[in-house]
Amino acid sequence: MNTRYVSLLGLGFGDCGKGLYTDFLARAWGAHTVVRFNGGAQAGHNVALADGRHHTFSQFGAGSFNAGACTLLASPVVVHPTALLVEHEALRHSGVPDALARLRIDARCRVTTPFHQAAGRLREWARGAAAHGSCGVGVGETVRQALAMPDTALRYGDLARPSHALEKLEAVRETLRRELDALPLPATEAAAQERGMLEDPTLARRWLAAVEPCLREAPPAGRDAIAAQLARPGTVLFEGAQGVLLDEWQGFHPHTTWSTVSTAAVEAVLADAGIAAPVRHLGVLRSYLTRHGAGPLPTQDAALDRLAEPHNADAGWQGRFRRGQPDAVLWRYALAAVGRLDGLAVSHLDAIGRTGGLRWCSAYRVAGEAQPLTALRRGAAPDLMHQEGLTRLLASAEPLYDALAVAAPAAWIERIEALSGCPVRYGAFGPEAEAVQAFRPLDF
């Protein structure tokens, strides 16, 4: 039996159904490995089972309810070891006792520490009204610090050498402590607690002791071991985190995440392992737009707030969970940015009937003038100034809706297929795998 590779890539601002489809396809194909290839502990992929169990997957692959399915955290992933232990315990209570034993972590993965998490939260508070929309788990701070000081960046493999890891931890703590001295931090108890972590000279050693169970159950994996896992006969699923509209280079700066969401990012993991094989890429999207916290959402519509969202709350670091009508302008941009797709997987098709029909945005009005479907143009190269310009455009955009609402799933599917040039291969009419219908499933 050969190995087949399939990726799931979000076409929105996240929360589009990647967890649902990872679980569904892992079951359907008996996937032996789910690869996380981007992002970190800020992911939140919900899987609801027909027996009532539910888990929001953060770092473990959303195929973990399937016995024998391993999670592989590839080298671009930012690992949060103590959060892994917390998530493992939650999975144990949900009937998955061996998630850590089924975990493979590339030794090159960057590691989030309490110092990164504290610094990231303090920076976000210091931004005040200009907050970026941080998840508060330290992923962005980990990447920023690793780029600024690559010699002191903590990698998962470093944890196997405690004295070496301790030196790096202390260097990180001291650097971040000095940087935070220059920021206008709020005089709150919460800020004082986060600041106290950067002042504590004992925390690094205590944290290293706390992560030892993670290191013992999931020791650092070298490139050869990663390649062997990926080459096993059967199915390998690549589970994307976030969505391409939050991509660090293609998203709308500064309301983005330090993560790359693209077909090229998936294929780079295989190339790094020395595997030259085709990947079938699926774009995942909701029937309507959503996003957490700060950032533009031109079609935001309070009328959609009546749609139940039991696993996406307004509380927490990201802030309010917002809903918007279907936006063909944003989806067209996402399709151009993500790379070539072999089909689409759509969630929340059942919401169309519950809303009495969704309004389809086909263009924007900006500064009094109608802008066509091509209003958002990608930059020729990674260019954050260009992306900031797109952010300003979106902030001032007024959606122009088609005269008739889309009142049935079949009509919605026809619209998105015409827009994307891709077939809708799978559609979900509820939160469980049993609610997924295979319209034109992938064949191999």
Side-chain angles (χ1 to χ4, degrees):
M1 180 181 181
N2 295 327
T3 307
R4 56 187 179 186
Y5 302 98
V6 177
S7 80
L8 295 160
L9 300 164
L11 298 180
F13 296 101
D15 300 293
C16 54
K18 296 182 295 295
L20 164 66
Y21 278 109
T22 300
D23 176 66
F24 169 76
L25 294 177
R27 293 175 186 277
W29 295 333
H32 64 71
T33 302
V34 174
V35 183
R36 293 282 310 280
F37 64 91
N38 69 318
Q42 85 275 49
H45 296 177
N46 289 291
V47 173
L49 303 185
D51 61 12
R53 286 181 292 165
H54 163 264
H55 182 74
T56 301
F57 285 90
S58 176
Q59 296 181 84
F60 288 96
S64 296
F65 279 116
N66 300 281
C70 294
T71 295
L72 169 59
L73 303 185
S75 60
V77 173
V78 179
V79 176
H80 194 319
T82 48
L84 273 170
L85 293 172
V86 172
E87 186 174 1
H88 168 67
E89 186 64 15
L91 282 168
R92 190 178 67 82
H93 285 289
S94 294
V96 184
D98 60 345
L100 268 179
R102 291 191 267 143
L103 179 63
R104 313 286 183 265
I105 304 178
D106 193 306
R108 296 168 291 174
C109 288
R110 292 159 294 192
V111 175
T112 294
T113 72
F115 309 126
H116 295 112
Q117 184 163 307
R121 292 180 175 188
L122 289 166
R123 287 188 203 278
E124 184 75 341
W125 278 324
R127 294 182 184 113
H132 292 177
S134 170
C135 294
V137 297
V139 173
E141 190 65 28
T142 305
V143 178
R144 187 203 66 79
Q145 189 271 338
L147 292 173
M149 299 179 62
D151 291 341
T152 61
L154 187 67
R155 306 281 175 170
Y156 192 69
D158 294 329
L159 299 178
R161 302 163 57 198
S163 60
H164 177 61
L166 187 60
E167 289 179 6
K168 285 193 168 186
L169 283 165
E170 279 301 297
V172 168
R173 182 179 73 87
E174 283 296 325
T175 299
L176 294 177
R177 183 182 64 80
R178 290 193 300 269
E179 291 177 358
L180 269 294
D181 283 341
L183 292 184
L185 301 177
T188 63
E189 182 178 349
Q193 288 178 347
E194 300 294 344
R195 177 71 196 198
M197 292 188 181
L198 297 173
E199 302 285 355
D200 186 349
T202 71
L203 181 55
R205 194 177 298 274
R206 291 187 285 116
W207 181 81
L208 280 174
V211 303
E212 198 279 331
C214 183
L215 196 66
R216 183 177 63 249
E217 291 288 335
R223 185 175 296 180
D224 289 346
I226 298 295
Q229 184 71 31
L230 290 171
R232 286 178 52 197
T235 299
V236 175
L237 296 176
F238 286 81
E239 179 184 358
Q242 293 83 51
V244 70
L245 297 182
L246 292 176
D247 182 278
E248 57 187 326
W249 296 112
Q250 303 290 347
F252 307 111
H253 191 70
H255 306 292
T256 55
T257 187
W258 294 70
S259 176
T260 299
V261 186
S262 69
T263 60
V266 172
E267 291 161 8
V269 171
L270 288 176
D272 180 68
I275 297 173
V279 185
R280 307 293 295 277
H281 299 287
L282 291 173
V284 186
L285 68 163
R286 283 191 184 219
S287 59
Y288 54 99
L289 269 292
T290 65
R291 79 173 301 158
H292 276 282
L297 184 63
T299 61
Q300 182 174 341
D301 189 345
L304 297 181
D305 288 349
R306 66 178 181 271
L307 293 172
E309 200 70 41
H311 306 130
N312 283 301
D314 292 342
W317 267 91
Q318 288 179 284
R320 186 182 173 198
F321 184 76
R322 297 183 284 151
R323 302 160 179 82
Q325 297 285 348
D327 189 329
V329 182
L330 280 178
W331 278 331
R332 185 183 185 279
Y333 178 89
L335 288 159
V338 77
R340 182 195 58 79
L341 298 176
D342 295 283
L344 304 176
V346 183
S347 66
H348 295 78
L349 285 171
D350 52 315
I352 297 173
R354 297 203 308 273
T355 62
L358 293 170
R359 296 188 293 160
W360 189 274
C361 169
S362 294
Y364 296 152
R365 179 178 289 112
V366 180
E369 295 186 5
Q371 301 289 325
L373 194 61
T374 57
L376 297 183
R377 296 186 182 275
R378 298 170 59 214
D383 182 348
L384 293 184
M385 290 185 64
H386 177 81
Q387 297 309 117
E388 286 183 5
L390 295 183
T391 303
R392 291 191 293 271
L393 185 153
L394 287 173
S396 63
E398 175 191 351
L400 299 177
Y401 294 107
D402 292 355
L404 297 177
V406 182
W412 190 99
I413 290 170
E414 183 179 349
R415 287 285 189 92
I416 201 67
E417 288 185 335
L419 177 72
S420 66
C422 293
V424 173
R425 297 191 178 278
Y426 305 95
F429 293 80
E432 299 93 9
E434 291 78 6
V436 174
Q437 294 184 20
F439 301 131
R440 281 180 276 179
L442 283 176
D443 53 5
F444 296 89

